[in-house]
Amino acid sequence: MIKIYNTLSQKKEEFKPIEPGKVRMYVCGMTVYDYCHLGHARVLVAFDVITRYLRHRGYDVHYVRNITDIDDKILRRADENGEVYSDLTERMIKAMHEDEARLGVLSPTEEPCATDYINEIVAMIHKLVASGHAYAADNGDVYFSVESYPDYGKLSKKKLEDLVAGARVDVQEAKRSPADFVLWKAAKPGEVSWESPWGDGRPGWHIECSAMSNHCLGETFDIHGGGPDLLFPHHENEIAQSECANGHTFVNTWMHAGAIRVNKEKMSKSLGNFFTIREIFEKYAPEVVRYFLVSSHYRSQVDYSEENLAEAGHTLARFYHALRGLVPAKDVAKTGHDRQFAEAMDDDFNTAGAIAVLHAVVNEINQYRRDADDQRAAESAAVLVRLGRILGLLQQDPEAFFQADTGGELSTEDIEAMIRARAEARQQKDFAEADRIRDELADNGIILDDSREGTSWRRG
């Protein structure tokens, strides 16, 4: 029995999909005007693990993650760059796919782009206008009437009267109420636009997701997820417009990943502590970044720091060190570790508890190796790799992990040439030269491990 914390009810609930054995899940994806940052990585990895585990448990998961490829930020950035907006979005989508591939994130079942669903968006807005839940304003925009939906605020637990009292309306807006939000934006001169019954324009952000999820997954589906900043107003508005358009429940289970903090402060460009995934990859291997994100529960707040990333690297190295030189046994039956792992993951995808099980397996492998019990060590190695796969971890050859080029001054070829020179110096009993080479390698973060089989190396 899987239990999931539902943001809507604010409690853990037994997960019962609408259609037995099948899961329909929608996660809000990127607005592609810039490179993905660490907060995006958190969401990408969190729902990748959730998808992997649901499939491991036998569910047929239809995972939809959208792309917002038209909005104010995109148009503004394209204008700043002096390029066509679609050239910008195409480049950023390509970069996003490169980043997620390096993080080990599997592709979603569908990845709809907003500009491919203009007809569906217009149709949903038309439905809302016809039923009195939306209205065309004098300025050419179309707004959703929040007061027409009595349950507004049920996800965020915000009260409409408080929102209206604290809201400010721009003098250029033609809203009936400060809480109303835009569904269709009238085009400005020279701006990209599409035809609609209300004039040329483009969709508002919130309606995009309702139309795309409705088309890909149906009017009611199992899980809707996203980052913590989307709960309000984006997801609240999705519920309102979707349930008014369709007349019934939009989503059964709402899931939100935790926020990213940098050295205990909120990550933001204004504080100068804003990191793209690509910038982090310049210093840390992608699997280390993934391990760092997976090692915390998806709902918890994660504190990014150099120390925490370094610690993640050391821990992952310990796991791979346990696998080094072992060939995992085949067809190993499930063990108590599998049961403990499942218990942790069934409890709202508790990856922190699942990681604790991996540590226990590593301890077991190391003990078998000390006892020279190669067969049991190989069997435990198979368990470690099997459970790691569910989290998207430990699928590399250990040597590839240890020797991955992270942009240091010495290339793999340089290191191996120096190791050969050291071996020759030792053979000629020139131990001073051998020590000098070892020290030079150590100064460059290269650790040598001498054994009867020869010398292996890893980046420290």
Side-chain angles (χ1 to χ4, degrees):
M1 181 178 67
I2 296 175
K3 287 191 173 183
I4 301 176
Y5 182 86
N6 189 348
T7 309
L8 183 64
S9 65
Q10 297 188 334
K11 63 182 181 181
K12 292 180 185 178
E13 299 173 346
E14 181 182 347
F15 179 59
K16 295 180 179 178
I18 297 167
E19 187 176 353
K22 295 187 177 182
V23 177
R24 286 176 286 158
M25 180 169 72
Y26 184 94
V27 175
C28 290
M30 313 305 142
T31 299
V32 285
Y33 71 100
D34 205 343
Y35 293 111
C36 295
H37 56 66
L38 189 60
H40 295 141
R42 181 82 198 281
V43 175
L44 287 169
V45 170
F47 286 96
D48 180 64
V49 170
I50 289 166
T51 301
R52 286 170 181 264
Y53 186 67
L54 289 172
R55 287 173 176 162
H56 168 73
R57 292 283 264 106
Y59 289 102
D60 177 7
V61 181
H62 190 125
Y63 175 24
V64 178
R65 192 185 68 221
N66 77 293
I67 294 174
T68 295
D69 61 345
I70 184 69
D71 87 331
D72 291 340
K73 291 179 180 178
I74 291 171
L75 296 179
R76 188 161 51 246
R77 180 61 58 83
D79 185 58
E80 291 170 357
N81 293 350
E83 65 181 327
V84 178
Y85 89 95
S86 55
D87 290 344
L88 169 65
T89 57
E90 184 179 342
R91 190 171 69 255
M92 290 299 105
I93 290 170
K94 181 175 182 291
M96 177 187 71
H97 288 158
E98 291 170 352
D99 290 344
E100 66 185 38
R102 294 184 70 189
L103 277 171
V105 173
L106 303 175
S107 298
T109 312
E110 291 188 73
E111 194 173 45
C113 290
T115 56
D116 292 329
Y117 286 79
I118 298 298
N119 290 339
E120 289 81 1
I121 291 168
V122 169
M124 182 171 274
I125 296 173
H126 188 273
K127 200 172 181 181
L128 290 167
V129 172
S131 59
H133 291 290
Y135 57 92
D138 295 338
N139 63 354
D141 292 346
V142 179
Y143 292 96
F144 180 85
S145 174
V146 170
E147 291 181 350
S148 74
Y149 180 60
D151 286 340
Y152 191 82
K154 67 179 180 180
L155 180 68
S156 61
K157 315 308 176 191
K158 295 180 183 291
K159 294 182 179 179
L160 180 57
E161 54 267 30
D162 294 337
L163 295 172
V164 172
R168 294 181 179 179
V169 179
D170 190 289
V171 293
Q172 295 181 340
E173 291 184 315
K175 296 179 181 181
R176 293 176 182 170
S177 168
D180 293 351
F181 56 88
V182 68
L183 300 174
W184 188 259
K185 305 182 79 168
K188 297 175 183 177
E191 195 174 72
V192 61
S193 63
W194 291 264
E195 293 180 355
S196 85
W198 316 282
D200 291 354
R202 56 188 169 85
W205 177 37
H206 311 301
I207 194 68
E208 294 175 2
C209 285
S210 286
M212 287 187 281
S213 63
N214 186 87
H215 181 270
C216 296
L217 298 174
E219 294 181 355
T220 303
F221 52 94
D222 300 296
I223 298 173
H224 195 315
D229 55 325
L230 300 184
L231 195 156
F232 184 87
H234 185 54
H235 289 163
E236 192 73 71
N237 292 351
E238 278 191 69
I239 292 174
Q241 62 202 10
S242 298
E243 296 193 351
C244 286
N246 298 324
H248 45 252
T249 298
F250 175 39
V251 173
N252 288 342
T253 302
W254 286 87
M255 302 178 69
H256 293 89
I260 293 284
R261 289 168 65 88
V262 179
N263 293 321
K264 304 190 185 306
E265 290 186 304
K266 181 181 179 181
M267 185 179 72
S268 71
K269 290 183 178 179
S270 61
L271 293 175
N273 62 358
F274 184 88
F275 299 102
T276 67
I277 299 173
R278 297 187 163 209
E279 288 172 331
I280 298 170
F281 285 167
E282 291 175 3
K283 300 179 71 174
Y284 300 97
E287 190 173 358
V288 171
V289 179
R290 184 181 178 100
Y291 177 83
F292 165 72
L293 296 170
V294 168
S295 59
S296 298
H297 190 281
Y298 78 91
R299 284 193 291 114
S300 67
Q301 189 168 266
V302 172
D303 190 41
Y304 173 90
S305 68
E306 295 288 333
E307 294 77 13
N308 289 344
L309 261 294
E311 179 60 31
H314 293 323
T315 302
L316 195 58
R318 178 174 180 265
F319 288 2
Y320 271 112
H321 204 277
L323 294 171
R324 205 171 194 179
L326 287 176
V327 177
K330 295 182 179 180
D331 301 323
V332 175
K334 289 188 176 182
T335 68
H337 294 304
D338 291 86
R339 177 181 54 78
Q340 293 165 357
F341 184 94
E343 287 175 354
M345 292 296 288
D346 283 352
D347 183 12
D348 193 30
F349 309 102
N350 182 5
T351 53
I355 290 289
V357 176
L358 298 191
H359 278 282
V361 179
V362 168
N363 291 339
E364 188 175 86
I365 293 171
N366 291 337
Q367 184 59 57
Y368 288 142
R369 297 187 80 153
R370 286 192 292 269
D371 295 342
D373 192 337
D374 294 340
Q375 178 59 34
R376 288 191 174 182
E379 291 171 356
S380 293
V383 175
L384 183 60
V385 171
R386 179 169 67 206
L387 298 180
R389 181 181 297 112
I390 300 168
L391 301 179
L393 299 170
L394 304 175
Q395 302 308 296
Q396 294 187 69
D397 178 270
E399 297 308 315
F401 170 80
F402 286 121
Q403 298 176 11
D405 190 349
T406 54
E409 292 185 8
L410 296 179
S411 67
T412 297
E413 292 75 15
D414 294 334
I415 295 165
E416 291 179 346
M418 292 173 71
I419 290 174
R420 287 194 297 271
R422 175 175 175 265
E424 291 175 7
R426 294 177 70 184
Q427 192 172 9
Q428 296 171 9
K429 300 190 182 303
D430 187 352
F431 298 114
E433 174 64 7
D435 290 344
R436 185 198 66 76
I437 294 173
R438 175 188 276 275
D439 291 343
E440 183 179 349
L441 287 167
D443 290 342
N444 283 275
I446 308 303
I447 300 168
L448 303 183
D449 296 314
D450 294 318
S451 67
R452 287 176 297 180
E453 290 77 25
T455 299
S456 59
W457 63 275
R458 56 190 169 92
R459 297 183 189 271

